[in-house]
PDB file of all heavy atoms in Angstrom:
ATOM      1  N   GLY A 117       3.681  16.836 -99.914  1.00  0.00           N
ATOM      2  CA  GLY A 117       3.026  17.752-100.829  1.00  0.00           C
ATOM      3  C   GLY A 117       2.515  17.102-102.087  1.00  0.00           C
ATOM      4  O   GLY A 117       2.224  17.786-103.076  1.00  0.00           O
ATOM      5  N   GLY A 118       2.413  15.749-102.097  1.00  0.00           N
ATOM      6  CA  GLY A 118       1.919  15.072-103.278  1.00  0.00           C
ATOM      7  C   GLY A 118       2.932  14.914-104.357  1.00  0.00           C
ATOM      8  O   GLY A 118       2.689  14.324-105.394  1.00  0.00           O
ATOM      9  N   LEU A 119       4.139  15.448-104.162  1.00  0.00           N
ATOM     10  CA  LEU A 119       5.198  15.369-105.198  1.00  0.00           C
ATOM     11  C   LEU A 119       5.680  13.938-105.328  1.00  0.00           C
ATOM     12  O   LEU A 119       5.784  13.383-106.419  1.00  0.00           O
ATOM     13  CB  LEU A 119       6.364  16.292-104.840  1.00  0.00           C
ATOM     14  CG  LEU A 119       7.465  16.441-105.879  1.00  0.00           C
ATOM     15  CD1 LEU A 119       6.909  17.063-107.152  1.00  0.00           C
ATOM     16  CD2 LEU A 119       8.600  17.323-105.333  1.00  0.00           C
ATOM     17  N   ILE A 120       5.981  13.313-104.175  1.00  0.00           N
ATOM     18  CA  ILE A 120       6.354  11.913-104.134  1.00  0.00           C
ATOM     19  C   ILE A 120       5.624  11.290-102.955  1.00  0.00           C
ATOM     20  O   ILE A 120       5.753  11.791-101.845  1.00  0.00           O
ATOM     21  CB  ILE A 120       7.865  11.691-104.008  1.00  0.00           C
ATOM     22  CG1 ILE A 120       8.601  12.395-105.119  1.00  0.00           C
ATOM     23  CG2 ILE A 120       8.219  10.232-103.964  1.00  0.00           C
ATOM     24  CD1 ILE A 120      10.120  12.368-104.963  1.00  0.00           C
ATOM     25  N   GLY A 121       4.841  10.260-103.180  1.00  0.00           N
ATOM     26  CA  GLY A 121       4.027   9.699-102.109  1.00  0.00           C
ATOM     27  C   GLY A 121       4.820   9.217-100.910  1.00  0.00           C
ATOM     28  O   GLY A 121       5.971   8.805-101.038  1.00  0.00           O
ATOM     29  N   ALA A 122       4.208   9.250 -99.749  1.00  0.00           N
ATOM     30  CA  ALA A 122       4.911   8.856 -98.530  1.00  0.00           C
ATOM     31  C   ALA A 122       4.955   7.337 -98.381  1.00  0.00           C
ATOM     32  O   ALA A 122       5.745   6.829 -97.611  1.00  0.00           O
ATOM     33  CB  ALA A 122       4.223   9.458 -97.306  1.00  0.00           C
ATOM     34  N   GLY A 123       4.085   6.627 -99.130  1.00  0.00           N
ATOM     35  CA  GLY A 123       4.308   5.167 -99.190  1.00  0.00           C
ATOM     36  C   GLY A 123       3.292   4.267 -98.513  1.00  0.00           C
ATOM     37  O   GLY A 123       3.697   3.365 -97.763  1.00  0.00           O
ATOM     38  N   ASP A 124       2.005   4.414 -98.771  1.00  0.00           N
ATOM     39  CA  ASP A 124       1.033   3.418 -98.362  1.00  0.00           C
ATOM     40  C   ASP A 124       1.156   2.970 -96.938  1.00  0.00           C
ATOM     41  O   ASP A 124       1.303   1.792 -96.612  1.00  0.00           O
ATOM     42  CB  ASP A 124       1.147   2.194 -99.275  1.00  0.00           C
ATOM     43  CG  ASP A 124       0.902   2.523-100.751  1.00  0.00           C
ATOM     44  OD1 ASP A 124       0.133   3.480-100.982  1.00  0.00           O
ATOM     45  OD2 ASP A 124       1.433   1.857-101.612  1.00  0.00           O
ATOM     46  N   ASP A 125       1.149   3.954 -96.026  1.00  0.00           N
ATOM     47  CA  ASP A 125       1.172   3.675 -94.585  1.00  0.00           C
ATOM     48  C   ASP A 125       2.494   3.058 -94.125  1.00  0.00           C
ATOM     49  O   ASP A 125       2.624   2.628 -92.973  1.00  0.00           O
ATOM     50  CB  ASP A 125      -0.009   2.760 -94.168  1.00  0.00           C
ATOM     51  CG  ASP A 125      -1.336   3.388 -94.412  1.00  0.00           C
ATOM     52  OD1 ASP A 125      -1.427   4.649 -94.283  1.00  0.00           O
ATOM     53  OD2 ASP A 125      -2.293   2.692 -94.723  1.00  0.00           O
ATOM     54  N   GLU A 126       3.487   3.004 -95.010  1.00  0.00           N
ATOM     55  CA  GLU A 126       4.796   2.517 -94.589  1.00  0.00           C
ATOM     56  C   GLU A 126       5.588   3.666 -93.951  1.00  0.00           C
ATOM     57  O   GLU A 126       5.352   4.843 -94.280  1.00  0.00           O
ATOM     58  CB  GLU A 126       5.576   1.984 -95.795  1.00  0.00           C
ATOM     59  CG  GLU A 126       4.961   0.760 -96.451  1.00  0.00           C
ATOM     60  CD  GLU A 126       5.180  -0.515 -95.624  1.00  0.00           C
ATOM     61  OE1 GLU A 126       6.081  -0.498 -94.781  1.00  0.00           O
ATOM     62  OE2 GLU A 126       4.429  -1.464 -95.812  1.00  0.00           O
ATOM     63  N   GLU A 127       6.498   3.316 -93.058  1.00  0.00           N
ATOM     64  CA  GLU A 127       7.324   4.332 -92.431  1.00  0.00           C
ATOM     65  C   GLU A 127       8.210   4.993 -93.506  1.00  0.00           C
ATOM     66  O   GLU A 127       8.824   4.314 -94.322  1.00  0.00           O
ATOM     67  CB  GLU A 127       8.211   3.673 -91.380  1.00  0.00           C
ATOM     68  CG  GLU A 127       9.136   4.644 -90.650  1.00  0.00           C
ATOM     69  CD  GLU A 127      10.063   3.939 -89.666  1.00  0.00           C
ATOM     70  OE1 GLU A 127      11.127   3.447 -90.083  1.00  0.00           O
ATOM     71  OE2 GLU A 127       9.681   3.866 -88.502  1.00  0.00           O
ATOM     72  N   LEU A 128       8.208   6.305 -93.532  1.00  0.00           N
ATOM     73  CA  LEU A 128       9.044   7.028 -94.483  1.00  0.00           C
ATOM     74  C   LEU A 128      10.500   6.736 -94.170  1.00  0.00           C
ATOM     75  O   LEU A 128      10.959   6.918 -93.081  1.00  0.00           O
ATOM     76  CB  LEU A 128       8.774   8.541 -94.367  1.00  0.00           C
ATOM     77  CG  LEU A 128       9.328   9.441 -95.489  1.00  0.00           C
ATOM     78  CD1 LEU A 128       8.734   9.049 -96.835  1.00  0.00           C
ATOM     79  CD2 LEU A 128       9.025  10.890 -95.173  1.00  0.00           C
ATOM     80  N   GLN A 129      11.226   6.217 -95.178  1.00  0.00           N
ATOM     81  CA  GLN A 129      12.573   5.737 -94.939  1.00  0.00           C
ATOM     82  C   GLN A 129      13.611   6.643 -95.582  1.00  0.00           C
ATOM     83  O   GLN A 129      13.406   7.176 -96.664  1.00  0.00           O
ATOM     84  CB  GLN A 129      12.723   4.309 -95.520  1.00  0.00           C
ATOM     85  CG  GLN A 129      11.775   3.281 -94.928  1.00  0.00           C
ATOM     86  CD  GLN A 129      12.011   1.915 -95.546  1.00  0.00           C
ATOM     87  OE1 GLN A 129      13.118   1.452 -95.635  1.00  0.00           O
ATOM     88  NE2 GLN A 129      10.924   1.270 -95.933  1.00  0.00           N
ATOM     89  N   VAL A 130      14.701   6.819 -94.863  1.00  0.00           N
ATOM     90  CA  VAL A 130      15.834   7.553 -95.417  1.00  0.00           C
ATOM     91  C   VAL A 130      16.950   6.516 -95.611  1.00  0.00           C
ATOM     92  O   VAL A 130      17.729   6.192 -94.680  1.00  0.00           O
ATOM     93  CB  VAL A 130      16.331   8.673 -94.424  1.00  0.00           C
ATOM     94  CG1 VAL A 130      17.500   9.429 -95.043  1.00  0.00           C
ATOM     95  CG2 VAL A 130      15.169   9.617 -94.099  1.00  0.00           C
TER      96      VAL A 130
END
Side-chain angles (χ1 to χ4, degrees):
L119 187 62
I120 303 175
D124 300 330
D125 297 327
E126 295 286 340
E127 180 184 85
L128 193 60
Q129 301 181 47
V130 182

